[in-house]
Amino acid sequence: MLSDLQAALRTGLLGRDDAEARAAVANGDGLAPDARIEIYRNNVFQSLVGVLAAAYPTVANVLGEAAFRTVAAAFIKSRPPRQPQLSAYGGELPEFLAALGATRHPYLPDLARLEWARNECYFAADAAPLDLGLLGAVPPERTPLLRLSLHPAVRLLGSRHDLVAIWRERLGGGGRAQDAGGEGDHYILISRTGLEVQMTELSAGAFTLALGLKLGLTLGRAAHAATLSEPAFALEASLARLLSHSTFTSFVLSDPAEEVRS
Amino acid sequence: MVPAPSPTPMGRPSPPVPARAGIGLRHPHVQRLLDERPKVAWLEAHSENYLAAGGPRIVALDAIRRDYPISFHSVGLSLGSAEGVDPAHLARLAMLYRRIEPTQISDHLSWSVSGGVYLNDLLPLPYTSEALDIVCRNVARTQDVLGRTILVENPSAYLSYAASHIPEAEFLAAVAQRTGCGILLDINNVYVSTHNLDGDALRYMRSLNPESVGEMHLAGHAVQHIANHQVLIDDHGSAVAAEVWHLYEQALEIIGPRPTLIEWDTRVPPLPTLLAEASRAEARLSEFRQTRIHCYAE
């Protein structure tokens, strides 16, 4: 049966037992079946390692080519692609790296999260950023009732490591100067302005504000949460910063009565 | 047998892919294509590279398609999968094809999905009557869902199966005959596979109905030595080999002039190198036409 043959090849190619696959391959005068299967195994792994290296260039730089190849191959064996859309393949690599445990680079899983967020941002749906004129027309007393929709390309990432500095350093193939990173928390907005993926450092308050709006809170409630995370939180400046990076696409004004109830 | 062009969303038919030389659309060349609009008859894009919801790639393709006929070449349909063609993937392709309105679409006589796992390689099929039924069913379903004819490409192969009992070219011809699909004849693949599996390239091409061949591919391959055997690897990473150019000239004699694509997608060269390679194919196409006109005139 064709389905059995294909299952045997799949098992053999992914590096498990290939006895059944070898038995199915014609054995003539030329190259032996295992060497023929090995050509395909190389194609499968080489192409998928390449896909992961393209999505995670700085993780690959940190690990070095050989170690990245080893980690990527282990990842491919344990989580092969489930769909032929490779721009969506590899999102589980950060968790996979975290599960591998402590490495010489404790920031590595977070760096991978940043790269995946950049990847998702790059391929996300297009949408026109919020028309600031419309926002300006909302009467000031009603602005706390605004619910703002985040742009589909926006991602928010918090980390204990100075990821943006590490990323910039490593993308150039550069060294370890920044690896120690600034201590303390870092809050990153990943967004697409025009067609460019951008990374912006936010204050704890601005990050909480964006996160609250993403979760569907009104501007008033999200701002309150932001004040709790950053006592000196300044709503207008934070909102302006988010708006300048195409963070939102639209808004609705929620019903005041509903706000009282909730 | 080029599929009839379908109307674009604006009601304007896309120009058909001419029987001339085209090049594969590669990301590093996009900006230059947009800025300089070099002369090339058509472009072929890999469908799966444009499946994302949005972003720069698809926006650039929207712009490019205004100036060049676009053919879409997919690698993920897995037309040879026993478990059938993935409806979710078909739906994604259908959406992309509605947006870009390619003048031609194609995929491969191979499989890459088993147990829901996508192996990202074009794996060979055993050429049996069971596999023939499965491929025909998958091709028919694809054509039904997409509402258009597809071209199916002969694969490059490094192994054959003990169970195979139908020659590949006859298998491919039977798929075309039973489903009405066309054939994308990859000349480099014919060369590579018949070398690796002791076949006969001319006999292969003569086994096909010329009418069903809608496009040809040309690409470079690598020569490797494994356990004292010379193996040709279809890596699309270099210029077209002299032997493959020669086989292409024979293909023009046997099948006739067809839209011909230069595929060079690993170690991608600068755009002018790719265009120069396309002009080599163009020269052979026009030389072929001129000698034919000459013959008829006499």
Side-chain angles (χ1 to χ4, degrees), chain A residues 1-3 5-7 10 24-26 30-31 36 39-40 43-44 47-48 80-82 84-86 122-126 192 195, chain B residues 48 52-56 76 80 82 89 92 111 114-121 123-124 126 130 134 157-158 160-162 226:
Chain A
M1 293 287 285
L2 184 60
S3 59
L5 175 82
Q6 291 177 336
R10 180 190 77 223
V25 173
L31 208 55
R36 294 182 183 276
I39 295 172
Y40 288 99
N43 285 349
V44 170
S47 66
L48 290 175
R82 309 289 305 186
Q85 185 187 339
L86 294 174
Y122 185 82
F123 289 111
D126 300 299
R192 206 170 70 205
L195 296 173
Chain B
E48 281 79 6
H89 194 57
R92 284 190 288 266
W111 66 278
S114 161
V117 168
Y118 173 65
L119 291 161
N120 198 34
D121 197 19
L123 299 162
E130 183 209 7
I134 286 169
Y158 313 106
S160 60
Y161 298 97
I226 304 172

Side-chain angles (χ1 to χ4, degrees), chain B residues 1-23:
Chain B
M1 201 194 63
V2 179
S6 44
T8 64
M10 293 79 81
R12 186 165 46 82
S14 311
V17 172
R20 296 185 50 195
I23 59 169

Side-chain angles (χ1 to χ4, degrees), chain A residues 240-252:
Chain A
R241 189 158 167 78
L242 292 174
L243 285 166
S244 72
H245 288 96
S246 312
T247 306
F248 309 106
T249 55
S250 61
F251 64 84
V252 291

Side-chain angles (χ1 to χ4, degrees), chain B residues 131-295:
Chain B
L132 182 58
D133 288 344
I134 286 169
V135 172
C136 288
R137 196 159 61 227
N138 290 343
V139 168
R141 167 134 183 81
T142 299
Q143 297 189 134
D144 280 353
V145 172
L146 298 179
R148 54 200 303 168
T149 313
I150 187 168
L151 304 180
V152 178
E153 177 181 339
N154 58 302
S156 55
Y158 313 106
L159 63 76
S160 60
Y161 298 97
S164 283
H165 59 81
I166 306 171
E168 180 178 292
E170 284 174 33
F171 189 99
L172 189 53
V175 173
Q177 197 260 321
R178 276 169 55 175
T179 66
C181 78
I183 292 171
L184 196 175
L185 183 63
D186 188 310
I187 307 298
N188 184 57
N189 288 355
V190 171
Y191 184 77
V192 163
S193 295
T194 52
H195 173 93
N196 291 339
L197 303 173
D198 297 326
D200 178 337
L202 290 181
R203 189 173 158 192
Y204 191 109
M205 298 196 295
R206 288 191 185 110
S207 304
L208 303 173
N209 173 5
E211 293 283 300
S212 67
V213 177
E215 180 180 337
M216 293 183 189
H217 274 183
L218 291 168
H221 59 253
V223 181
Q224 283 190 9
H225 292 271
I226 304 172
N228 290 326
H229 294 280
Q230 190 193 59
V231 182
L232 303 184
I233 306 286
D234 171 43
D235 67 350
H236 297 185
S238 57
V240 177
E243 298 87 341
V244 175
W245 281 122
H246 181 60
L247 192 57
Y248 177 57
E249 287 156 11
Q250 291 171 305
L252 292 181
E253 295 291 338
I254 295 168
I255 284 150
R258 294 291 183 274
T260 302
L261 182 82
I262 303 293
E263 284 186 303
W264 193 333
D265 39 36
T266 52
R267 297 186 292 277
V268 176
L271 185 58
T273 310
L274 200 52
L275 292 170
E277 199 73 340
S279 68
R280 283 178 202 116
E282 195 69 66
R284 283 165 173 87
L285 281 165
S286 70
E287 193 184 330
F288 176 83
R289 277 198 207 89
Q290 277 166 12
T291 42
R292 280 307 127 116
I293 291 165
H294 216 67
C295 289

Side-chain angles (χ1 to χ4, degrees), chain A residues 135 138-147 218-220 235 253:
Chain A
L135 194 62
V138 176
E141 71 277 10
R142 299 198 67 191
T143 51
L145 300 176
L146 284 171
R147 286 184 203 274
T218 58
L219 186 60
L235 175 59
L253 266 171

Side-chain angles (χ1 to χ4, degrees), chain B residues 72-86:
Chain B
F72 259 130
H73 190 47
S74 59
V75 294
L77 274 171
S78 197
L79 294 170
S81 271
E83 61 205 59
V85 172
D86 176 10

